Amino acid sequence: MNIGRYRFSLPLDWQEAEKGLKRRHAIGNVLVSDSAVDTLNRTIEKVDAGAKPLTADQIVSCGRQVLSETPSDLKLPLCIFERFKTLALMDAMVKDFDWTIEDVSAYRVEVVLDYVKRHEELIPHDAPHIGHLDDAILVQASTATLLPELENYGDYRRLRKIEAELQGKPLHEFRYRREDWLESREAERAFIAYQREQGLSSFLSGFEVRLFKVH
């Protein structure tokens, strides 16, 4: 998973409000209320205080473009689906008891997940193609502040899998904490540096097994 680096862009112009206020408030049959937009903006501010507030018109413009570009037989647009994969990673991260999240990041993730679970007033979740558009917008807005922690957790999962395999233990039974990941990460960096110095090409070797194994 390429965390925060999406193949399909979300067609939202964050600068559009500066070009002049428009008054569009409907995406197909879905009306976008100013009060619901305010709720989304307050939530975005909690995850990124520097983000510019959105207008209903910006969200409507984004939604209309998503609708026009999404094939009728595709239930969830790819630009939204990709950001839902990031949401799934956030959810897995907060439920992973072996991963200790930095306090500010933990708060921001909870803010995002709480919005997704509780708020449907902006766009109902069952609205065809655009039902989770505001959730995707929130994930996009949170990328700048949450990307480092999400990347760390993604790397932690990668190295945990390697360590479990090296020790011959099932992944669901393998205890591996953040401090173990930090140790493994430094060992990996040292091994890669060793490879470069020696001109070696093999990554998985007996040397690596001895180097990576966490006791």
Side-chain angles (χ1 to χ4, degrees):
M1 179 181 177
N2 237 344
I3 303 167
R5 296 171 180 86
Y6 304 113
R7 293 177 56 202
F8 300 93
S9 62
L10 193 66
L12 178 67
D13 186 353
W14 292 86
Q15 308 300 324
E16 185 178 320
E18 298 178 358
K19 301 174 184 177
L21 183 64
K22 303 182 183 69
R23 302 303 302 172
R24 291 173 291 186
H25 280 79
I27 310 172
N29 296 323
V30 176
L31 293 177
V32 175
S33 72
D34 288 330
S35 61
V37 173
D38 288 342
T39 298
L40 176 61
N41 279 326
R42 286 194 298 270
T43 306
I44 290 175
E45 186 177 16
K46 291 178 182 178
V47 297
D48 185 356
K52 294 183 178 180
L54 297 168
T55 65
D57 186 78
Q58 286 170 283
I59 296 171
V60 168
S61 296
C62 177
R64 288 180 179 181
Q65 187 170 339
V66 169
L67 279 178
S68 69
E69 296 175 352
T70 303
S72 59
D73 59 343
L74 188 63
K75 184 175 181 180
L76 194 64
L78 295 175
C79 62
I80 295 178
F81 175 74
E82 277 194 309
R83 286 151 186 82
F84 255 63
K85 290 171 69 175
T86 301
L87 275 173
L89 186 65
M90 290 184 190
D91 189 56
M93 184 169 66
V94 298
K95 291 178 179 177
D96 194 330
F97 295 110
D98 284 338
W99 179 254
T100 305
I101 310 175
E102 187 267 334
D103 288 345
V104 175
S105 294
Y107 168 74
R108 288 168 174 158
V109 170
E110 290 292 352
V111 166
V112 173
L113 294 177
D114 182 68
Y115 179 92
V116 172
K117 294 172 183 176
R118 295 181 55 190
H119 293 279
E120 287 191 67
E121 63 267 27
L122 180 55
I123 301 175
H125 286 173
D126 60 358
H129 303 312
I130 58 168
H132 290 279
L133 177 62
D134 54 330
D135 301 331
I137 289 172
L138 177 57
V139 171
Q140 185 74 44
S142 69
T143 298
T145 57
L146 284 174
L147 184 59
E149 187 69 9
L150 289 171
E151 287 182 327
N152 285 343
Y153 182 64
D155 190 59
Y156 160 84
R157 285 161 61 105
R158 177 183 66 85
L159 287 175
R160 177 174 60 181
K161 185 174 184 294
I162 292 174
E163 291 283 5
E165 290 173 352
L166 291 176
Q167 298 193 33
K169 296 181 179 179
L171 190 60
H172 67 278
E173 295 178 1
F174 185 59
R175 299 308 306 272
Y176 186 73
R177 298 176 176 82
R178 188 173 187 133
E179 54 267 30
D180 298 321
W181 163 71
L182 290 170
E183 180 183 339
S184 296
R185 185 176 65 169
E186 291 307 310
E188 181 182 55
R189 287 174 177 172
F191 181 68
I192 291 172
Y194 171 84
Q195 281 186 306
R196 289 172 178 167
E197 290 175 3
Q198 300 299 318
L200 301 177
S201 59
S202 174
F203 183 74
L204 291 178
S205 67
F207 176 79
E208 182 198 1
V209 171
R210 293 193 301 274
L211 182 62
F212 272 63
K213 191 170 183 180
V214 175
H215 300 283

